[in-house]
Amino acid sequence: MTYAPDADSGSDSAPDADPGAGQQEAAPQWLAEDQRTVWLGLVRLLATLPAALDAQLGRDAGLTFFEYSVMAFLSERPEVTLRMSELARLTNASQSRLSNVVKRLEQRGLVRRVPCPDDGRSTLAVLTEEGLRTVVEVAPRHVRTVRHLVVDALTPEQLAEMGAAHESILRRLDPGARTDPRRLDRPGT
Amino acid sequence: MTYAPDADSGSDSAPDADPGAGQQEAAPQWLAEDQRTVWLGLVRLLATLPAALDAQLGRDAGLTFFEYSVMAFLSERPEVTLRMSELARLTNASQSRLSNVVKRLEQRGLVRRVPCPDDGRSTLAVLTEEGLRTVVEVAPRHVRTVRHLVVDALTPEQLAEMGAAHESILRRLDPGARTDPRRLDRPGT
DNA sequence: CCAATTTACTTGACGCTTGAAGTGAATGGG
DNA sequence: CCCATTCACTTCAAGCGTCAAGTAAATTGG
């Protein structure tokens, strides 16, 4: 990924818009060898882990990880109900994507949509009985997969460190976002 | 994601295929609160970071991160050339995906395909002059983005820890894979 | 109380990825 | 030498996600 100098033509003399002139250590143009290694590892993880989650859930329940996430978040609510917009936020999805996915889940009888009584613009997604059964059935295996691939692969300290690191990155990605779902239980209404 | 007990109907009595009976600490069915938090952070990262990389490269060069990766790996070779299969491995892509993407890059004049002289089955992807110019031009900004979002967001110790953690996870994802691209320069031929 | 704006969601066209064939080229017995 | 198999790659038909509208309800301001 050209995080180190090109092994090719005049590379380190590449012309480019110089960034902020006043950097502390004047961050070098390329990554150091060890930085590059970590970055490529993360990129590999980005490509591999979602595929593994989809594979497990696809095998065991015919669901994608995203579909599972939608149903799982619903299952955690006392009324197995959530507004579409809130659900989109929780699952890191665009409204459009969520709309399409919920439509498909509805066709499969796993979720139902009802107009929100409080706000005519909103739609509530409700987990059906069958949807709940599906989640309850597949969740243990899914959690086992997550344990096996991630949680149990690391020491508790590593896990905590990784969590902190991800927080830092997420703050840079979305400066306004609360990453820790703590006091978002009563979203808007 | 139902990594904690459902807030709903009889959840912890959920019937499911009991896993290996003899676990050390009999890993609980659900995740602990702090484990769940870390996991959800990782999931959010998985959804957010690739989008951010695509956004930056799309704005600056009309490229996806994957397209950039393809060209960047080529640019790092003395002959700006790589076999399709090797390139697919480096970019964590299926052969099909790579084939489609290289076809598009070829139509845009950024990459060229030539039959491999040593093996009639193989195809070599070669970066064109324009392709190399594009990479050289956009790489500094891309690296800056990576620095800003990841490398510089963490202390060197955090970065190293994160690298080690990812290694552990990647080993579980793909037990046969060398994550550290060290002695894979001479792939198979 | 009405017009303009904002909010919540849905739809449709388009592009990309996937997975299942399909094409040649190279190998490896028999 | 030849047939079967494997390998490297490409293609095609689905399916999914995204972006740009579009609809309808709520809010805001005059």
Side-chain angles (χ1 to χ4, degrees), chain A residues 22-189:
Chain A
Q23 277 134 337
Q24 300 201 346
E25 287 262 334
Q29 180 159 21
W30 307 110
L31 298 183
E33 178 59 23
D34 54 341
Q35 294 175 331
R36 177 186 144 103
T37 300
V38 173
W39 170 241
L40 292 181
L42 176 55
V43 169
R44 180 179 286 272
L45 189 75
L46 257 28
T48 310
L49 185 53
L53 297 172
D54 282 340
Q56 180 262 315
L57 285 165
R59 251 187 288 106
D60 292 350
L63 294 171
T64 64
F65 176 67
F66 181 69
E67 289 167 338
Y68 172 79
S69 296
V70 166
M71 297 172 63
F73 274 115
L74 289 174
S75 79
E76 287 171 3
R77 297 286 158 153
E79 301 300 328
V80 292
T81 297
L82 235 22
R83 293 191 180 197
M84 291 292 284
S85 45
E86 172 72 354
L87 196 47
R89 215 175 44 67
L90 289 169
T91 55
N92 314 303
S94 66
Q95 282 203 139
S96 175
R97 181 183 186 186
L98 182 67
S99 184
N100 288 134
V101 168
V102 168
K103 190 204 298 178
R104 290 192 288 267
L105 290 176
E106 190 168 35
Q107 286 161 357
R108 293 167 64 176
L110 299 170
V111 166
R112 220 177 26 212
R113 270 186 293 191
V114 305
C116 178
D118 302 350
D119 186 336
R121 297 167 297 181
S122 289
T123 304
L124 302 178
V126 187
L127 204 56
T128 63
E129 295 264 332
E130 188 189 343
L132 182 56
R133 271 199 305 277
T134 301
V135 175
V136 167
E137 184 188 314
V138 75
R141 255 191 300 254
H142 174 62
V143 172
R144 213 140 56 226
T145 303
V146 172
R147 279 196 173 284
H148 177 247
L149 292 179
V150 178
V151 177
D152 293 348
L154 310 174
T155 66
E157 299 77 39
Q158 272 186 312
L159 194 68
E161 268 289 343
M162 200 175 88
H166 291 166
E167 294 296 316
S168 300
I169 296 171
L170 288 168
R171 264 193 300 279
R172 299 220 172 182
L173 281 166
D174 185 3
R178 78 293 98 212
T179 277
D180 185 2
R182 216 173 318 258
R183 48 121 171 63
L184 47 72
D185 295 56
R186 205 151 306 93
T189 285

